[in-house]
Amino acid sequence: MRVLTRAIAIFGALIALTGCNEPGFPAHLKAETVSENGFQALLVTPRTNEPLNTVLILGGSQGGYGSVATAQKLAEAGFAALAVAYFGEPGLPQSLNSIPLEYFDAAIDYIDRNPRLHRNTCDQVPVLGASRGAELALLLASVKSAYGPVVAIAPSSHVWGAIGDSSSPAWTFAGAPITYVPRHSAPDYDVERFVGRDYFAEDLRHPDAVPAQIAVEDIAGQILLISGTDDRLWPGDEMADSIVARLQAHGKARLVQHLKYEGAGHAISPGDPAAATEVSLSGGQTIVLGGSEAANRQAQDNSWPVIEQLLRDPVCRMDPVVVAPARDVITAVEVAAQAQPSAAQAEVNK
């Protein structure tokens, strides 16, 4: 487990270095750290006096501010991006272990108190997360309607335990640990090339994983899932399919769209380096993330217009008579066409 935790940290540094350098941001963007009453974040915005719709960015196992490159891409598109740190920074927990969901209420409060920042037209704050950050985004939106819509990249359908300590919860709510998937698999972290996907899949097949499913049917808003079929770190594509199936079972398939990209891997967030298909450790080990540079870039390029449109123009009224049920999977070829709203969609948005 120490090897995998270290690998994730290195991967996180790789992602962060593409944009996490406050003095090095482009001149037309402004980046400022937020630190108040224990809450920490990095706010990246265009340099404008106009009020900005704000998006929460939730990183995953790398800790810190997560993918600041994603925050920069959102700011380039005219959003305010609030990249929230919840562990791995001074003054915060140093590992993803027993993080209270109530901590993120401070992000909502910060946005509501800041005249430069706004909720969206549905009076919600959109959330974008990847990997463990996608798990967190879905979990937050399932317990509080202020979060939405949700963009979950390489997502999880279930809650997982703490990193580095399989006997502890990753998250708590109302002072109690949130049920997580027990680890029954026995990963071999000493192999030269570590692939985590099958270990996660094995744990998901165990009956005691069922109580750890995220109650996505309780999410008050739209959900966009983005996955790659060659995600080798965990089965993000299969877990996204599971989320769709759960929403279908609850009669809420209209809320979800799943963009699944053939041959793409784990690192497909906007702004991530498309070439990050694996992480090499100093000891000679390799952690396989999956995908190819071309497939990862296609996933990023094709999903970006859909992400941007969802964040800019969310549907607040989800009348099942008006809105047709979503298809399970939208292919990459169809994504570009869907970036423009249809006449029917425009009517719903009125």
Side-chain angles (χ1 to χ4, degrees), residues 209-263:
V210 173
Q213 284 185 290
I214 299 172
V216 290
E217 68 275 10
D218 292 339
I219 293 177
Q222 296 164 276
I223 304 168
L224 175 61
L225 308 170
I226 302 172
S227 70
T229 62
D230 193 42
D231 186 334
R232 309 307 296 166
L233 193 60
W234 70 6
D237 54 329
E238 294 180 4
M239 290 193 285
D241 287 340
S242 177
I243 291 170
V244 172
R246 185 178 178 101
L247 288 166
Q248 288 175 332
H250 284 82
K252 296 188 175 182
R254 67 190 185 278
L255 298 176
V256 67
Q257 184 177 17
H258 179 196
L259 307 183
K260 183 190 293 188
Y261 293 93
E262 189 67 32

